[in-house]
Amino acid sequence: MRPPVDLSEVVVNYGLSSEPPPSNVATWFQGEAAKKGSSSGGGGGDDSVLRVSTATTMAGVLAQLWEGVMPRDETEALAPPQQVYIFFPQCEALAEPDMLSKLVDHLETCKDVCDHFGSSVMAFPLDPRAPLDHPAYGPVPGIMLRRF
């Protein structure tokens, strides 16, 4: 029989990086925030959050996305941000031509069994292969979660 294990100091890491985002992602995000600020009259009501994931597998990507849909952090769960941009620069699978669309298709099927996703939270793909001026463009593969 195994001795009991003390898990009190275990920190679960679901792939969020504590490092600053890559410069191309940070620059793109700041540009998007500036465009929204100028288009909304500069009222400053933009509630957007940038997250750069260290997920390398699709399982890690899905865990990160669901954390964005239903935050476990109590403070964030009480007042979740209106938009969350989650980028996955280390997930090579998302660089494959159809994988991002397959991920979005999978998320579409999840709407039927999730209380918030699909009704008050929507997911939009961010793809580096999209034209630079297209709303679906992102510097690396990612997903934007938007609350309504």
Side-chain angles (χ1 to χ4, degrees):
M1 186 164 157
R2 293 184 179 170
V5 178
D6 178 17
L7 299 177
S8 62
E9 295 185 23
V10 173
V11 176
V12 180
N13 179 356
Y14 284 93
L16 272 183
S17 176
S18 59
E19 299 295 317
S23 61
N24 63 332
V25 174
T27 302
W28 176 86
F29 185 72
Q30 290 168 351
E32 287 297 299
K35 283 193 274 187
K36 288 183 176 103
S38 62
S39 66
S40 66
D46 184 38
D47 186 18
S48 297
V49 173
L50 169 64
R51 295 186 179 147
V52 178
S53 175
T54 58
T56 58
T57 65
M58 291 306 294
V61 167
L62 287 169
Q64 192 72 67
L65 289 173
W66 291 120
E67 173 66 23
V69 171
M70 290 297 301
R72 292 177 310 167
D73 178 83
E74 291 179 26
T75 305
E76 188 173 325
L78 291 173
Q82 183 181 2
Q83 294 182 146
V84 178
Y85 293 85
I86 307 174
F87 290 101
F88 305 99
Q90 296 179 27
C91 184
E92 293 178 12
L94 282 179
E96 295 175 16
D98 293 333
M99 191 57 82
L100 195 57
S101 63
K102 288 178 181 178
L103 173 62
V104 172
D105 289 345
H106 172 76
L107 294 174
E108 287 292 319
T109 64
C110 296
K111 290 179 178 180
D112 295 337
V113 294
C114 186
D115 291 339
H116 302 286
F117 188 67
S119 57
S120 62
V121 180
M122 301 292 289
F124 302 94
L126 299 168
D127 193 336
R129 294 172 293 247
L132 289 174
D133 59 345
H134 193 276
Y137 174 78
V140 296
I143 297 286
M144 180 194 44
L145 300 173
R146 181 178 289 165
R147 291 187 179 353
F148 295 97

